[in-house]
Amino acid sequence: MSLIVLVGPAGVGKGSVVKELLGHGGYRLSVSATTREPRAGEVDGEHYHFVSSRVFERMIENAELIEWAKVHGNHYYGTPKAELERAAAERVHLILEIDLQGARQIAGAGIEHIGIFLEPPSWEELERRLRSRGTETESEIQTRLATAREELAAADEFENRLVNDDLGTTAQRIRELVTKREEKK
Ligand code: 5GP
């Protein structure tokens, strides 16, 4: 079982790449805990574990999270240890779609993983994709673009950098990285 840490700016297409990976079987997306409100259509326990700040703080105190961060300046997000344990027990590769701060914590803790930074073909394309989702307000888009600028500057911290031109190709490259890692074990 491999742990895949997938990072990239909002709008780069992480969600679509993940969907493509999940469609082939053998992969699972980790369900994070968050203090943000669910968006329309989001299901508790499926997209996120939506929790109060009190519950999130308790999870930190009880060391139930392998990493956690305040993202976009206002909400907390974290990966429950239980997600890793479940994936290991069920022998599936686990994908963590987390922010840069979380990825740095995983690397810093010496947890074995495949770090992947997903890059947009261009800055203009990233902005276009982010706006075309229609899920964020203009002010949220501006916050995400500012975060994206910071994240893109950190791309070279990652062992693997993939330009997400075509999601089928990107997903295939990720599967190859996983196969290579599994062969080394
Ligand atoms: P959204 O609110 O749009 O679902 O996610 C916002 C950001 O939170 C994304 O950049 C995503 O990568 C990040 N994120 C989601 N779950 C986690 C997590 O468990 N840990 C960390 N560090 N970031 C997360």
Side-chain angles (χ1 to χ4, degrees):
M1 172 252 175
S2 288
L3 182 63
I4 302 143
V5 175
L6 187 62
V7 173
V12 76
K14 285 174 289 183
S16 309
V17 169
V18 167
K19 222 182 259 171
E20 179 80 12
L21 286 170
L22 297 180
H24 282 71
Y27 288 81
R28 175 177 311 134
L29 179 63
S30 168
V31 181
S32 299
T34 183
T35 58
R36 86 148 160 76
E37 294 294 315
R39 295 191 188 117
E42 284 184 334
V43 178
D44 186 35
E46 192 181 312
H47 297 92
Y48 282 104
H49 299 289
F50 295 101
V51 300
S52 65
S53 299
R54 274 250 301 275
V55 168
F56 197 93
E57 280 158 19
R58 205 173 325 126
M59 292 175 94
I60 296 172
E61 281 163 23
N62 296 341
E64 289 173 36
L65 303 172
I66 58 160
E67 61 75 31
W68 62 272
K70 200 175 189 184
V71 182
H72 301 315
N74 46 358
H75 292 297
Y76 288 99
Y77 295 79
T79 305
K81 270 187 191 155
E83 291 289 316
L84 267 75
E85 289 159 4
R86 199 158 62 98
E90 294 173 19
R91 297 179 176 280
V92 290
H93 305 302
L94 189 68
I95 309 167
L96 304 191
E97 196 199 312
I98 60 177
D99 87 323
L100 184 59
Q101 307 169 74
R104 284 175 173 155
Q105 287 173 43
I106 303 247
I111 298 167
E112 177 162 353
H113 68 286
I114 302 173
I116 300 171
F117 190 92
L118 218 53
E119 293 179 284
S122 67
W123 178 260
E124 291 70 30
E125 177 61 14
L126 181 71
E127 196 164 343
R128 195 194 63 74
R129 288 184 192 174
L130 194 52
R131 289 184 190 283
S132 72
R133 300 204 293 201
T135 47
E136 284 100 2
T137 64
E138 180 57 29
S139 122
E140 282 170 339
I141 287 173
Q142 289 306 327
T143 307
R144 276 159 175 71
L145 286 173
T147 306
R149 242 172 247 123
E150 284 169 28
E151 292 188 329
L152 285 172
D156 60 4
E157 290 176 29
F158 287 77
E159 191 188 341
N160 305 285
R161 292 169 65 161
L162 301 178
V163 175
N164 187 28
D165 242 328
D166 171 75
L167 75 93
T169 309
T170 305
Q172 182 52 33
R173 290 218 184 106
I174 295 176
R175 278 193 290 270
E176 285 164 10
L177 289 172
V178 170
T179 305
K180 225 164 57 188
R181 179 66 61 98
E182 291 294 316
E183 281 168 1
K184 271 198 209 156
K185 283 184 182 169

